[in-house]
Short mmCIF file of all heavy atoms in Angstrom, two decimals:
data_model
loop_
_atom_site.label_atom_id
_atom_site.label_comp_id
_atom_site.label_asym_id
_atom_site.label_seq_id
_atom_site.Cartn_x
_atom_site.Cartn_y
_atom_site.Cartn_z
N ILE A 1377 -16.65 -5.41 -1.45
CA ILE A 1377 -16.68 -6.58 -0.56
C ILE A 1377 -15.99 -7.76 -1.23
O ILE A 1377 -15.23 -8.51 -0.62
CB ILE A 1377 -18.14 -6.93 -0.19
CG1 ILE A 1377 -18.73 -5.82 0.67
CG2 ILE A 1377 -18.21 -8.27 0.53
CD1 ILE A 1377 -20.16 -6.04 1.10
N PHE A 1378 -16.23 -7.89 -2.52
CA PHE A 1378 -15.66 -9.04 -3.26
C PHE A 1378 -14.16 -8.85 -3.46
O PHE A 1378 -13.39 -9.80 -3.41
CB PHE A 1378 -16.39 -9.22 -4.58
CG PHE A 1378 -17.86 -9.46 -4.36
CD1 PHE A 1378 -18.74 -8.39 -4.27
CD2 PHE A 1378 -18.33 -10.74 -4.17
CE1 PHE A 1378 -20.08 -8.60 -4.00
CE2 PHE A 1378 -19.67 -10.96 -3.90
CZ PHE A 1378 -20.55 -9.89 -3.82
N GLU A 1379 -13.77 -7.62 -3.68
CA GLU A 1379 -12.34 -7.34 -3.81
C GLU A 1379 -11.64 -7.72 -2.50
O GLU A 1379 -10.56 -8.30 -2.49
CB GLU A 1379 -12.11 -5.86 -4.13
CG GLU A 1379 -12.73 -5.45 -5.46
CD GLU A 1379 -12.57 -3.96 -5.76
OE1 GLU A 1379 -11.65 -3.33 -5.23
OE2 GLU A 1379 -13.38 -3.44 -6.54
N ALA A 1380 -12.29 -7.39 -1.40
CA ALA A 1380 -11.69 -7.69 -0.09
C ALA A 1380 -11.64 -9.20 0.16
O ALA A 1380 -10.66 -9.72 0.67
CB ALA A 1380 -12.50 -7.00 1.01
N LEU A 1381 -12.71 -9.88 -0.24
CA LEU A 1381 -12.76 -11.34 -0.03
C LEU A 1381 -11.55 -12.03 -0.63
O LEU A 1381 -10.94 -12.91 -0.01
CB LEU A 1381 -14.01 -11.90 -0.72
CG LEU A 1381 -15.25 -12.17 0.10
CD1 LEU A 1381 -16.30 -12.80 -0.77
CD2 LEU A 1381 -14.92 -13.07 1.28
N LEU A 1382 -11.23 -11.63 -1.84
CA LEU A 1382 -10.11 -12.25 -2.55
C LEU A 1382 -8.80 -11.96 -1.80
O LEU A 1382 -7.96 -12.84 -1.62
CB LEU A 1382 -10.07 -11.69 -3.97
CG LEU A 1382 -9.11 -12.35 -4.95
CD1 LEU A 1382 -9.34 -13.84 -5.02
CD2 LEU A 1382 -9.31 -11.75 -6.35
N GLU A 1383 -8.66 -10.74 -1.37
CA GLU A 1383 -7.44 -10.36 -0.65
C GLU A 1383 -7.35 -11.12 0.68
O GLU A 1383 -6.28 -11.59 1.06
CB GLU A 1383 -7.45 -8.84 -0.41
CG GLU A 1383 -6.11 -8.21 -0.27
CD GLU A 1383 -5.20 -8.40 -1.48
OE1 GLU A 1383 -5.55 -7.94 -2.59
OE2 GLU A 1383 -4.15 -9.02 -1.32
N GLY A 1384 -8.48 -11.26 1.33
CA GLY A 1384 -8.51 -12.00 2.60
C GLY A 1384 -8.05 -13.44 2.39
O GLY A 1384 -7.26 -13.98 3.17
N TRP A 1385 -8.52 -14.02 1.32
CA TRP A 1385 -8.13 -15.41 1.02
C TRP A 1385 -6.62 -15.50 0.81
O TRP A 1385 -5.96 -16.40 1.34
CB TRP A 1385 -8.89 -15.87 -0.23
CG TRP A 1385 -8.39 -17.17 -0.76
CD1 TRP A 1385 -8.63 -18.41 -0.23
CD2 TRP A 1385 -7.55 -17.36 -1.90
NE1 TRP A 1385 -7.98 -19.36 -0.98
CE2 TRP A 1385 -7.31 -18.74 -2.01
CE3 TRP A 1385 -6.98 -16.49 -2.84
CZ2 TRP A 1385 -6.52 -19.28 -3.02
CZ3 TRP A 1385 -6.20 -17.03 -3.84
CH2 TRP A 1385 -5.98 -18.40 -3.94
N LYS A 1386 -6.05 -14.53 0.09
CA LYS A 1386 -4.61 -14.57 -0.18
C LYS A 1386 -3.80 -14.50 1.12
O LYS A 1386 -2.72 -15.06 1.21
CB LYS A 1386 -4.20 -13.37 -1.05
CG LYS A 1386 -4.70 -13.41 -2.46
CD LYS A 1386 -4.08 -12.22 -3.22
CE LYS A 1386 -4.99 -11.72 -4.30
NZ LYS A 1386 -4.60 -10.38 -4.78
N GLY A 1388 -4.74 -15.53 4.12
CA GLY A 1388 -5.10 -16.50 5.16
C GLY A 1388 -5.96 -15.90 6.25
O GLY A 1388 -5.69 -16.08 7.44
N LEU A 1389 -7.01 -15.22 5.85
CA LEU A 1389 -7.88 -14.51 6.80
C LEU A 1389 -8.38 -15.41 7.94
O LEU A 1389 -8.76 -16.55 7.71
CB LEU A 1389 -9.09 -13.94 6.02
CG LEU A 1389 -10.11 -13.18 6.84
CD1 LEU A 1389 -9.52 -11.87 7.32
CD2 LEU A 1389 -11.37 -12.93 6.02
N TRP A 1394 -18.92 -12.41 9.28
CA TRP A 1394 -19.87 -11.53 8.60
C TRP A 1394 -21.26 -12.13 8.79
O TRP A 1394 -21.49 -13.30 8.44
CB TRP A 1394 -19.55 -11.39 7.10
CG TRP A 1394 -18.32 -10.57 6.85
CD1 TRP A 1394 -17.56 -9.90 7.78
CD2 TRP A 1394 -17.69 -10.33 5.58
NE1 TRP A 1394 -16.51 -9.25 7.16
CE2 TRP A 1394 -16.57 -9.50 5.81
CE3 TRP A 1394 -17.98 -10.72 4.27
CZ2 TRP A 1394 -15.73 -9.07 4.79
CZ3 TRP A 1394 -17.15 -10.29 3.25
CH2 TRP A 1394 -16.04 -9.47 3.51
N PHE A 1415 -24.32 -16.69 -2.33
CA PHE A 1415 -23.46 -16.31 -1.20
C PHE A 1415 -22.75 -17.55 -0.65
O PHE A 1415 -21.56 -17.56 -0.41
CB PHE A 1415 -24.28 -15.71 -0.05
CG PHE A 1415 -24.84 -14.33 -0.33
CD1 PHE A 1415 -25.90 -13.84 0.43
CD2 PHE A 1415 -24.32 -13.53 -1.32
CE1 PHE A 1415 -26.42 -12.58 0.21
CE2 PHE A 1415 -24.84 -12.26 -1.56
CZ PHE A 1415 -25.90 -11.79 -0.79
N GLU A 1416 -23.53 -18.59 -0.46
CA GLU A 1416 -22.97 -19.77 0.18
C GLU A 1416 -21.80 -20.34 -0.63
O GLU A 1416 -20.71 -20.57 -0.10
CB GLU A 1416 -24.05 -20.85 0.37
CG GLU A 1416 -23.49 -22.03 1.12
CD GLU A 1416 -24.47 -23.18 1.29
OE1 GLU A 1416 -25.47 -23.24 0.56
OE2 GLU A 1416 -24.20 -24.03 2.16
N SER A 1417 -22.05 -20.51 -1.94
CA SER A 1417 -20.97 -21.14 -2.72
C SER A 1417 -19.77 -20.20 -2.82
O SER A 1417 -18.62 -20.63 -2.79
CB SER A 1417 -21.47 -21.57 -4.10
OG SER A 1417 -22.10 -20.51 -4.74
N MET A 1418 -20.05 -18.91 -2.90
CA MET A 1418 -18.94 -17.98 -3.02
C MET A 1418 -18.07 -17.98 -1.74
O MET A 1418 -16.85 -18.08 -1.81
CB MET A 1418 -19.50 -16.60 -3.26
CG MET A 1418 -18.47 -15.55 -3.50
SD MET A 1418 -19.33 -14.02 -3.73
CE MET A 1418 -19.95 -13.72 -2.09
N PHE A 1419 -18.72 -17.90 -0.61
CA PHE A 1419 -17.94 -17.86 0.63
C PHE A 1419 -17.17 -19.17 0.84
O PHE A 1419 -16.01 -19.16 1.22
CB PHE A 1419 -18.85 -17.55 1.83
CG PHE A 1419 -19.10 -16.08 1.98
CD1 PHE A 1419 -20.28 -15.50 1.52
CD2 PHE A 1419 -18.16 -15.26 2.57
CE1 PHE A 1419 -20.51 -14.14 1.65
CE2 PHE A 1419 -18.37 -13.89 2.71
CZ PHE A 1419 -19.56 -13.33 2.23
N ARG A 1420 -17.84 -20.29 0.55
CA ARG A 1420 -17.14 -21.57 0.72
C ARG A 1420 -15.93 -21.62 -0.20
O ARG A 1420 -14.86 -22.11 0.15
CB ARG A 1420 -18.09 -22.74 0.41
CG ARG A 1420 -19.13 -22.93 1.49
CD ARG A 1420 -19.59 -24.39 1.57
NE ARG A 1420 -20.82 -24.50 2.34
CZ ARG A 1420 -20.90 -24.42 3.66
NH1 ARG A 1420 -19.80 -24.22 4.38
NH2 ARG A 1420 -22.06 -24.52 4.27
N ASN A 1421 -16.12 -21.09 -1.41
CA ASN A 1421 -15.05 -21.05 -2.39
C ASN A 1421 -13.81 -20.32 -1.86
O ASN A 1421 -12.68 -20.67 -2.17
CB ASN A 1421 -15.60 -20.32 -3.62
CG ASN A 1421 -14.83 -20.65 -4.86
OD1 ASN A 1421 -14.04 -21.58 -4.85
ND2 ASN A 1421 -15.07 -19.90 -5.91
N PHE A 1422 -14.06 -19.31 -1.03
CA PHE A 1422 -12.94 -18.56 -0.48
C PHE A 1422 -12.48 -19.11 0.87
O PHE A 1422 -11.74 -18.45 1.60
CB PHE A 1422 -13.32 -17.08 -0.34
CG PHE A 1422 -13.29 -16.34 -1.65
CD1 PHE A 1422 -14.45 -15.87 -2.24
CD2 PHE A 1422 -12.08 -16.14 -2.31
CE1 PHE A 1422 -14.42 -15.20 -3.45
CE2 PHE A 1422 -12.04 -15.47 -3.52
CZ PHE A 1422 -13.21 -15.01 -4.09
N GLY A 1423 -12.96 -20.30 1.21
CA GLY A 1423 -12.46 -20.95 2.42
C GLY A 1423 -13.20 -20.55 3.69
O GLY A 1423 -12.73 -20.83 4.79
N TRP A 1424 -14.33 -19.89 3.54
CA TRP A 1424 -15.09 -19.49 4.72
C TRP A 1424 -16.02 -20.63 5.15
O TRP A 1424 -16.48 -21.41 4.32
CB TRP A 1424 -15.97 -18.27 4.43
CG TRP A 1424 -15.25 -16.97 4.25
CD1 TRP A 1424 -14.20 -16.73 3.43
CD2 TRP A 1424 -15.56 -15.73 4.90
NE1 TRP A 1424 -13.81 -15.41 3.52
CE2 TRP A 1424 -14.64 -14.77 4.41
CE3 TRP A 1424 -16.52 -15.32 5.82
CZ2 TRP A 1424 -14.66 -13.43 4.83
CZ3 TRP A 1424 -16.53 -14.00 6.24
CH2 TRP A 1424 -15.60 -13.07 5.75
N ASP A 1425 -16.31 -20.65 6.44
CA ASP A 1425 -17.38 -21.50 6.93
C ASP A 1425 -18.68 -20.72 6.67
O ASP A 1425 -18.69 -19.50 6.77
CB ASP A 1425 -17.17 -21.69 8.45
CG ASP A 1425 -18.08 -22.74 9.03
OD1 ASP A 1425 -18.85 -23.34 8.25
OD2 ASP A 1425 -18.03 -22.94 10.25
N VAL A 1426 -19.73 -21.44 6.29
CA VAL A 1426 -21.01 -20.76 6.08
C VAL A 1426 -22.05 -21.39 6.99
O VAL A 1426 -22.22 -22.62 7.00
CB VAL A 1426 -21.47 -20.86 4.61
CG1 VAL A 1426 -22.82 -20.18 4.43
CG2 VAL A 1426 -20.43 -20.23 3.68
N ARG A 1522 -11.42 -19.85 11.58
CA ARG A 1522 -11.61 -19.55 10.15
C ARG A 1522 -12.71 -18.49 10.00
O ARG A 1522 -13.58 -18.37 10.87
CB ARG A 1522 -12.04 -20.83 9.41
CG ARG A 1522 -10.85 -21.75 9.11
CD ARG A 1522 -11.25 -22.84 8.14
NE ARG A 1522 -12.37 -23.64 8.62
CZ ARG A 1522 -13.49 -23.84 7.92
NH1 ARG A 1522 -13.66 -23.29 6.74
NH2 ARG A 1522 -14.45 -24.61 8.41
N PRO A 1523 -12.69 -17.74 8.91
CA PRO A 1523 -13.76 -16.75 8.75
C PRO A 1523 -15.11 -17.44 8.56
O PRO A 1523 -15.19 -18.52 7.97
CB PRO A 1523 -13.35 -16.00 7.48
CG PRO A 1523 -12.38 -16.88 6.77
CD PRO A 1523 -11.72 -17.74 7.80
#
Side-chain angles (χ1 to χ4, degrees):
I1377 293 180
F1378 301 88
E1379 297 177 24
L1381 261 184
L1382 189 53
E1383 206 59 61
W1385 170 75
K1386 291 186 210 164
L1389 179 69
W1394 288 356
F1415 289 161
E1416 184 183 18
S1417 52
M1418 184 181 70
F1419 278 100
R1420 288 208 195 285
N1421 202 12
F1422 283 112
W1424 289 51
D1425 190 2
V1426 178
R1522 280 192 303 126

